[in-house]
């Protein structure tokens, strides 16, 4: 699974452990998701190409390297991906945002798209945000939807995942770079990640 990058860092491990605790309230849960998203983005973009831009500074005008912020489009998968959006937009505030709502049928474990509000992606770098990769169904679906919009490149930022789901993504989308904070043990018979963090959407918005 060469395109699955498990980002190893004590700060990430610490944040994920806080997300696992049932005593973490919804406010802190959202904050930790945001912080994880920000750290993953730093890793994902460490080799990005930059352009020279002339800036006015205290001694006159000079050219300095900058990111083409407008080239990035962040696409959280609703609801759970929304807190991650806060974190990455703090890093690249001029980026655009798009939204996909994908719900898993709990009986068939198949994914259903019920909202697509993603701007044009031609020439853009699409960054999908989703805390959990369980069976991989939702992320697979999201990637397929995004690919139809012809982006230059797709990156996925994820907090935790099961080996089964990540294997599915790696096999079906080897061209997509997946940056993930933690790879957990397995899926249970209901398709939930073990040990996992529970339902990220419910925990983030206090609806569990």
């Amino acid at each position: 699974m060469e395109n699955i990058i498990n980002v190893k860092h004590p700060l990430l491990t610490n944040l994920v452990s806080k997300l696992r605790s049932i005593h973490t309230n919804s406010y802190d849960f959202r904050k930790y998701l945001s912080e994880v998203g920000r750290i993953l983005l730093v890793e994902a973009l460490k080799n990005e190409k930059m352009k020279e831009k002339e800036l006015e500074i205290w001694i006159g005008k000079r050219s300095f390297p900058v990111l083409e912020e407008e080239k990035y489009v962040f696409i959280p998968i609703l609801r759970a991906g929304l807190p991650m959006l806060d974190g990455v937009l703090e890093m690249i505030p001029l980026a655009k945002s798009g939204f996909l709502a994908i719900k898993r049928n709990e009986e068939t474990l198949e994914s259903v798209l019920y909202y697509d509000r993603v701007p044009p992606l031609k020439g853009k770098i699409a960054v999908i945000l989703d805390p959990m990769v369980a069976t991989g169904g939702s992320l697979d679906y999201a990637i397929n939807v995004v690919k139809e919009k012809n982006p230059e490149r797709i990156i996925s930022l994820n907090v935790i995942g099961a080996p089964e789901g990540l294997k599915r993504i790696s096999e079906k989308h080897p061209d997509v770079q997946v940056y993930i904070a933690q790879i957990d043990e397995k899926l249970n018979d209901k398709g939930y990640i073990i040990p996992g963090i529970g339902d990220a959407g419910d925990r983030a918005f206090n609806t569990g």
Side-chain angles (χ1 to χ4, degrees), residues 28-180:
D28 287 333
F29 195 88
R30 292 192 303 273
K31 183 173 68 174
Y32 299 149
L33 285 179
S34 174
E35 292 172 353
V36 170
R38 189 161 55 243
I39 295 172
L40 290 175
L41 184 69
V42 169
E43 180 67 18
L45 301 188
K46 68 180 182 181
N47 295 318
E48 287 295 281
K49 293 180 180 178
M50 306 186 78
K51 69 174 184 178
E52 291 291 318
K53 181 178 181 180
E54 187 175 74
L55 303 174
E56 289 191 43
I57 63 171
W58 71 283
I59 56 171
K61 292 184 178 181
R62 290 282 183 92
S63 290
F64 295 94
V66 297
L67 276 178
E68 295 182 73
E69 294 192 22
E70 298 87 348
K71 192 171 185 178
Y72 297 88
V73 180
F74 295 120
I75 306 169
I77 298 180
L78 304 178
R79 298 171 294 170
L82 284 174
M84 296 178 72
L85 180 63
D86 293 336
V88 295
L89 282 176
E90 288 179 4
M91 301 293 289
I92 308 182
L94 299 182
K96 289 181 168 36
S97 298
F99 302 89
L100 291 175
I102 299 171
K103 183 173 177 62
R104 184 172 74 167
N105 184 307
E106 296 301 334
E107 294 182 1
T108 66
L109 302 186
E110 294 298 317
S111 298
V112 179
L113 175 70
Y114 60 96
Y115 185 74
D116 176 355
R117 191 68 173 176
V118 176
L121 294 177
K122 187 173 182 180
K124 303 291 187 180
I125 297 171
V127 184
I128 297 172
L129 310 170
D130 192 15
M132 303 169 71
V133 184
T135 65
S138 293
L139 183 55
D140 177 26
Y141 201 127
I143 291 172
N144 286 328
V145 171
V146 170
K147 280 184 173 180
E148 290 178 357
K149 302 176 189 296
N150 298 310
E152 178 181 305
R153 183 155 52 97
I154 301 173
I155 298 168
S156 181
L157 305 183
N158 308 97
V159 180
I160 64 166
E164 298 91 329
L166 294 170
K167 183 173 184 289
R168 173 178 180 173
I169 298 302
S170 181
E171 291 176 348
K172 297 188 71 173
H173 303 285
D175 54 329
V176 174
Q177 295 290 304
V178 176
Y179 292 84
I180 191 162

Side-chain angles (χ1 to χ4, degrees), residues 181-200:
Q182 196 88 43
I183 300 176
D184 276 8
E185 297 170 11
K186 61 180 181 179
L187 294 177
N188 67 10
D189 57 0
K190 294 184 178 180
Y192 297 148
I193 302 172
I194 302 298
I197 59 175
D199 187 299

Side-chain angles (χ1 to χ4, degrees), residues 7-18:
V7 181
K8 305 263 188 194
H9 195 290
L11 288 175
L12 275 178
T13 302
N14 187 56
L15 287 167
V16 173
S17 294
K18 289 181 177 182

